[in-house]
Amino acid sequence: MAKFCEIKSGFWDISASLCFRGQRIFLHNASGWFGDVPLEASGDFGIHPEEGEFHLMCQVSCVEVNALMKTFKMKPLMFPLAGSVTAVFNCQGPLDAPIFVGSGMVSRRMSQSVSDFPPSAASEAVLKSKEAGAVAAFDRVPFSCVSANFTFNTDSCVADLYGIRASLVDGGEIRGAGNAWICPEGEVDDTSMDVNFSGSMCFDKILHRYIPGYLQLMPLKLGDLNGETKLSGSLLRPFMCYFSNVGGLTLNGRLQRLKGPSAMLEEIS
């Protein structure tokens, strides 16, 4: 059985009102920090070693996404990220294997100044497009809104993601759903992730972010890209299968991430 990442960040600066009733402890207006994550919680939990359960409503006010990953000892993804996250979720189930059910979104209230984000292509994209509404970025692509619902089972270490929605600053929207096995083994296991996306984006504007001057150099504009994408494989080296239509052309193939900054396209038709 997979073991969830050992987290050494721990809780600190905790304050709460407690009420003890039999074998239950009631929490009122609890607040504090878990690593770099600010937490608020209310509810109750049983202290019986075999029958005790959590019944907590929790909230994360705002945390920078890279600080969040650092708190949970997650290795950096293959592309840089930038933005701050807020979340509301329930913690329920047995004391030794609770389940988290809730929703999260990129916050417009930054946990820190955009200029203080870890330097990367993603933070630069947010900074450049801030006036256009950018609050987050994946690599060089800025987003004005990102949200998702989730269920995370600490026993199986599987996260179910659904209702994924992302709006691009350059126009277009992406929706998705799937699951991921979030644990050290999942970083290398080729079956740890299975997430499907669909939507549209302005292909010319996206290319312009990677090829400066593209919009001026290309006499033929390709317009919107519409398609579906399947992201699967290990957490650190996933591959992407896609089917899309852009400028009247149909493209399908597989993008395999290799070591280093390079990538390989396969089976394109």
Side-chain angles (χ1 to χ4, degrees):
M1 179 179 293
K3 183 179 180 182
F4 190 50
C5 299
E6 293 185 4
I7 301 168
K8 302 178 181 178
S9 301
F11 292 96
W12 59 282
D13 196 20
I14 300 293
S15 65
S17 296
L18 302 177
C19 177
F20 296 85
R21 186 179 301 170
Q23 291 190 320
R24 302 200 70 77
I25 298 177
F26 291 81
L27 253 61
H28 298 282
N29 300 321
S31 64
W33 294 79
F34 181 74
D36 291 326
V37 182
L39 277 175
E40 298 176 5
S42 292
D44 66 273
F45 59 93
I47 58 175
H48 190 283
E50 295 181 0
E51 299 179 3
E53 290 189 349
F54 287 107
H55 298 282
L56 300 174
M57 172 63 77
C58 308
Q59 178 175 339
V60 175
S61 56
C62 193
V63 58
E64 199 276 325
V65 64
N66 293 288
L68 176 65
M69 294 175 64
K70 181 180 178 181
T71 291
F72 286 95
K73 308 300 179 185
M74 294 176 64
K75 294 180 181 179
L77 301 180
M78 61 181 186
F79 290 110
L81 302 172
S84 294
V85 178
T86 183
V88 176
F89 59 93
N90 287 317
C91 174
Q92 57 195 40
L95 298 179
D96 60 345
I99 296 174
F100 299 95
V101 180
S103 61
M105 65 180 298
V106 172
S107 174
R108 291 190 175 278
R109 181 173 68 84
M110 302 293 184
S111 62
Q112 55 185 294
S113 170
V114 175
S115 59
D116 292 332
F117 281 173
S120 67
S123 60
E124 184 178 347
V126 174
L127 190 61
K128 287 182 177 179
S129 301
K130 184 179 179 181
E131 293 186 1
V135 294
F138 176 79
D139 200 34
R140 301 184 186 183
V141 182
F143 293 85
S144 59
C145 177
V146 182
S147 62
N149 301 314
F150 63 86
T151 298
F152 181 69
N153 187 320
T154 58
D155 185 39
S156 63
C157 299
V158 173
D160 289 309
L161 306 171
Y162 47 97
I164 300 173
R165 180 181 177 184
S167 299
L168 287 78
V169 169
D170 293 324
E173 182 178 80
I174 299 172
R175 294 178 180 269
N179 58 74
W181 190 33
I182 304 178
C183 60
E185 293 91 335
E187 295 177 353
V188 295
D189 191 296
D190 286 337
T191 64
S192 64
M193 183 164 49
D194 183 12
V195 185
N196 295 288
F197 297 98
S198 63
S200 64
M201 65 183 70
C202 182
F203 193 67
D204 297 307
K205 291 182 178 179
I206 296 298
L207 280 182
H208 178 65
R209 293 189 177 277
Y210 289 88
I211 309 174
Y214 168 83
L215 293 177
Q216 290 75 35
L217 294 174
M218 281 290 291
L220 176 63
K221 300 298 184 289
L222 298 176
D224 290 342
L225 182 149
N226 300 278
E228 299 177 356
T229 297
K230 182 181 182 67
L231 194 63
S232 56
S234 65
L235 296 178
L236 296 183
R237 294 183 62 190
F239 59 85
M240 179 175 67
C241 295
Y242 60 90
F243 176 83
S244 58
N245 183 287
V246 57
L249 301 175
T250 298
L251 305 173
N252 63 77
R254 167 171 155 156
L255 179 63
Q256 174 69 57
R257 186 68 179 178
L258 303 177
K259 294 181 179 180
S262 61
M264 179 173 64
L265 288 171
E266 300 177 344
E267 304 167 9
I268 299 178
S269 62

